[in-house]
Amino acid sequence: MADTKREIERKYESDDAALPDLTRVPGVASVRERGVTHLDATYHDTADHRLAASSLTLRRRTGGADAGWHLKFPVAPGVRDEIRAPLSDTLPDELAALIRSRVRDRELLPVVRLRSDRDVRHLLDDQDRLLAEVSLDTVHAERLTGEGGEARWTEIEVELADDGDPAFLDKVEKRLRKAGVRPSTSSSKLARALAETAPDTGPAGSAGRDGVGAPPATAPEAAPRHKHRPRPDGTPVTAGDHVLAYLRAQRDALVELDPAVRRDVPDAVHRMRVATRRLRSTFRSFRTVLDRAATDPVAADLKWLAAELGKDRDQEVLAERLTQALDRLPADQVTGPVAERLAAWSEARHQRAHHQLLAILDSRRHLTLLDTLDALLADPPLRKKAGARPDKVLAKAVRKDFGKLAGLVEHALELPPGQERDTTLHEARKKTKRTRYAAEAAAPALGGPADEAASDMKALQGLLGDHQDSVMARRTLRELAAVAHAAGESDFTYGVLYAGEAHRAARAAEEALPEAWSAISRAFPF
C-alpha cells in the first residue's frame, strides 16, 4: 500500500563542499550528525518528458530508510506531496494510476539515474525534538536516454520536520545566507540533471536549468489559425485567443485533478466536474468562435464525464445537507437510528460511486477524450470571428446566454409550486452556470462588467442550487423513510426533515428568487 508524506523543503547551492555551522540558528539547541547514506535513484518518464513538464517526479530508489517507489506532486513552491510504495521491480499499479491522465498510452522509460552521498544533520530543540533535517548531497547524475551525458554537483537540502512551523525554515535560510549559501536555481535534482545532462544542441536547442528542455505535458499547440496571434508574452489579443486561453486552463485542471480524485481528496470530484462543465459550456457559448462540427462530439463526451462525476458529487452534497439538517433538529423530533442509517447510506453510496468513477478514469473513452482535447487545442477549429476584437464577440455571447436564462427564470416565477416549476428552475440553474462561465472566459478582455456578471451568476447559481438540492433531498428522504419503515423503524423524523426541505424550497422560489432576480436583471451589464 502507498502512503503519502507532505514535504516542505528548500534547496541551496554553495561553493564550499561542507555544511556551515547551524548551532546559531534561533531555536536550535543542538545539531546531531546522522551519518552518510548512499542513495541510488532511477527516474522514469515518457520519451517526451510529460511528467517533468508537469513538475512531477517518479523514481525507484534504493538506500536510506524510505527505499521504494516515490511519486512527487507539487503543492506550492517548496512544498510537495510524496506518495510512496514498497520497493519492487516494476511500477506499482496504484502509482501508475496516479499519472495516467498525463502518461496515457505512452511508455515509461528510465531517463536519469542519480547516485547521491547524503551527509545528514538533525536540528533539535531544547527538548531534543526534531525541527528540521539538513543534508549535504554529493550528486552524480547520468542521463539514460539519447546522447546525454553526466553531471556532478553538491547541494544542501533543508526539510522541515513533520508538523513543523514553516517559519523555522526562514531562520535556517537567514543563517545559510550569512554563510554565503544561496538558494538553488533548480526546483529539484531531476530538473537540474535533465538540464545539465541534455545533449548539446547549441544555443537554439539548449534548455534552461529549470525548463528541463521538455515539451508541454499535453500535445504541442499550434498558433491559432487567424491573422492575429497572442503577444510574445502570451497575452491574448483576439476573441479566439481569449476563448482558447480559458479552454486550456480547464483542460489543464481536468488533467491535474485526476490524481486527487483517485486519492479521494475532499472537493476534488467537484472541482473536476466544474472544469468539465466549463469546457462544455464554453464550446456551446462561443459557437461563433469555434466550429460546432468539431466541438459537438467533444461536448458530448464532456457531458458523459460530468454525469459520471456527478454520481459521487451529488451523493456527497446530499449527505452533508441531510446530516446538517438532522443535527439542527430538537432531540424530541429525532426517533430511531436516523443518524446511523444516514451515515450507512452515505458511506455505501460513496464507496460504490468512487469505485465506478475510478473505472471511468481508466476507461478508453476518458483517455481518448483527453487526447482529443489536446488535439483540438493544438489545432483549434476557429471560425472567422475568432480573429475579431474580443469586446463585441465575447459580450454578444454572454448577452445571448443571459437572454436564454431570463426566459427560463421568468417562466418559472409564473408557475405554481410543483414538478414543472422544479424542472424549469433546474434548467435555469444550468443556464446560470453557462452564463457565468461565458462571463469568466470574457473577463480578461472585458474587465469589470464581465466580473460583475460572473459574480451575479454565481450568487444566482447558489440560490437555484439550494432549491435543486432540496428537490433531491426530499426524493432521498422518501427512499430512506421507506427503508426504515420496512425495517420496523419509525419514519417520523424523515417526515420532519422532508417538511423542512419543502419549506426551504418554497421560500427560495417564492421569496428569495423574485427579489434576487429583479436586482440581477436590472443591473446586468451586457
Side-chain angles (χ1 to χ4, degrees):
M1 287 293 294
D3 58 77
T4 303
K5 183 181 186 300
R6 174 65 55 88
E7 288 185 340
I8 303 176
E9 63 183 21
R10 298 181 186 179
K11 297 180 183 294
Y12 301 90
E13 299 173 354
S14 175
D15 295 328
D16 296 327
L19 282 172
D21 179 17
L22 297 174
T23 56
R24 297 171 60 184
V25 175
V28 174
S30 63
V31 177
R32 182 171 300 165
E33 295 189 13
R34 303 299 297 176
V36 177
T37 302
H38 303 285
L39 306 174
D40 191 342
T42 299
Y43 289 78
H44 297 254
D45 205 338
T46 60
D48 57 358
H49 295 172
R50 287 173 167 249
L51 298 182
S54 299
S55 299
L56 272 63
T57 60
L58 173 65
R59 72 186 179 200
R60 180 185 184 275
R61 191 169 78 180
T62 58
D66 62 347
W69 286 90
H70 303 159
L71 175 59
K72 297 190 180 188
F73 288 92
V75 177
V79 183
R80 295 186 295 182
D81 278 344
E82 181 178 274
I83 303 174
R84 302 172 176 175
L87 193 64
S88 61
D89 292 336
T90 58
L91 177 64
D93 290 342
E94 51 198 317
L95 296 192
L98 295 178
I99 58 175
R100 190 157 292 135
S101 65
R102 292 169 168 90
V103 174
R104 300 174 205 170
D105 292 332
R106 282 72 176 179
E107 181 184 5
L108 283 171
L109 306 167
V111 293
V112 167
R113 182 182 183 187
L114 294 182
R115 284 169 285 180
S116 305
D117 290 334
R118 170 165 288 183
D119 189 2
V120 178
R121 307 283 193 281
H122 281 181
L123 306 186
L124 307 173
D125 66 9
D126 56 5
Q127 297 184 43
D128 215 30
R129 293 176 301 197
L130 180 65
L131 297 170
E133 180 178 286
V134 181
S135 63
L136 180 67
D137 294 345
T138 303
V139 184
H140 174 208
E142 177 186 3
R143 200 175 187 100
L144 303 177
T145 58
E147 298 179 357
E150 300 183 8
R152 298 177 187 271
W153 70 88
T154 299
E155 69 178 36
I156 296 171
E157 185 176 291
V158 183
E159 182 176 345
L160 190 68
D162 293 345
D163 301 320
D165 182 0
F168 177 70
L169 295 182
D170 294 332
K171 300 176 182 178
V172 177
E173 180 164 316
K174 184 177 181 180
R175 176 60 187 150
L176 290 173
R177 284 180 176 271
K178 285 184 177 180
V181 176
R182 57 194 177 276
S184 176
T185 55
S186 292
S187 60
S188 68
K189 288 184 176 67
L190 176 62
R192 182 167 182 174
L194 286 171
E196 296 193 5
T197 66
D200 184 7
T201 56
S206 60
R209 173 175 284 189
D210 240 5
V212 246
T218 52
E221 292 176 1
R225 295 183 298 187
H226 50 82
K227 62 182 179 180
H228 300 292
R229 294 185 179 181
R231 297 186 179 94
D233 64 358
T235 303
V237 175
T238 65
D241 292 338
H242 285 277
V243 171
L244 290 174
Y246 189 73
L247 288 171
R248 289 188 182 105
Q250 306 316 314
R251 183 275 313 274
D252 292 348
L254 200 62
V255 172
E256 291 164 5
L257 284 166
D258 182 284
V261 170
R262 292 175 184 274
R263 294 165 58 198
D264 210 7
V265 173
D267 206 40
V269 170
H270 171 61
R271 291 162 60 202
M272 180 182 273
R273 191 184 188 191
V274 169
T276 304
R277 284 174 165 169
R278 281 177 167 143
L279 283 163
R280 181 168 173 256
S281 289
T282 303
F283 287 147
R284 300 185 69 183
S285 294
F286 299 103
R287 293 174 176 176
T288 61
V289 174
L290 295 167
D291 187 354
R292 285 189 59 184
T295 62
D296 278 0
V298 186
D301 280 341
L302 288 167
K303 182 179 181 180
W304 159 77
L305 178 59
E308 295 296 338
L309 290 164
K311 294 176 183 177
D312 198 7
R313 174 60 180 170
D314 291 345
Q315 178 277 328
E316 180 183 2
V317 170
L318 279 176
E320 182 178 358
R321 184 184 183 97
L322 294 177
T323 299
Q324 291 177 352
L326 181 62
D327 290 342
R328 290 193 297 265
L329 288 183
D332 61 355
Q333 293 185 18
V334 180
T335 60
V338 182
E340 292 80 0
R341 183 168 292 284
L342 179 58
W345 168 84
S346 174
E347 180 63 19
R349 289 281 297 268
H350 173 69
Q351 291 299 328
R352 183 166 61 251
H354 186 67
H355 180 74
Q356 292 173 349
L357 184 52
L358 293 182
I360 292 297
L361 296 181
D362 288 334
S363 70
R364 172 52 47 198
R365 184 175 183 180
H366 175 61
L367 297 177
T368 299
L369 170 60
L370 296 181
D371 283 339
T372 303
L373 281 170
D374 289 347
L376 186 144
L377 293 172
D379 187 18
L382 298 175
R383 301 183 67 188
K384 183 177 179 179
K385 287 189 177 181
R389 288 172 46 189
D391 48 359
K392 292 183 179 180
V393 174
L394 303 187
K396 183 176 180 180
V398 176
R399 188 163 53 248
K400 184 176 180 180
D401 282 342
F402 183 76
K404 294 178 180 178
L405 166 64
L408 283 169
V409 173
E410 290 163 7
H411 177 56
L413 293 176
E414 297 172 352
L415 293 171
Q419 184 175 352
E420 184 180 358
R421 185 173 72 177
D422 290 345
T423 300
T424 304
L425 288 175
H426 182 45
E427 290 302 313
R429 180 192 183 195
K430 294 178 183 178
K431 290 296 187 294
T432 301
K433 292 178 182 178
R434 182 169 162 184
T435 308
R436 174 188 171 186
Y437 301 151
E440 287 177 351
L446 306 183
D451 288 331
E452 180 184 339
S455 178
D456 285 346
M457 292 302 99
K458 182 178 180 180
L460 182 60
Q461 179 184 330
L463 181 59
L464 294 173
D466 186 61
H467 181 274
Q468 176 61 17
D469 289 345
S470 177
V471 172
M472 299 303 296
R474 280 176 278 159
R475 182 180 302 172
T476 299
L477 286 166
R478 286 196 298 268
E479 295 171 358
L480 290 174
V483 173
H485 181 77
E489 300 166 5
S490 170
D491 56 8
F492 170 77
T493 300
Y494 301 101
V496 173
L497 291 171
Y498 185 99
E501 287 291 351
H503 178 68
R504 186 172 174 177
R507 288 190 60 185
E510 296 166 17
E511 298 177 23
L513 179 59
E515 181 179 348
W517 178 248
S518 177
I520 289 172
S521 58
R522 287 197 310 269
F524 196 74
F526 293 105

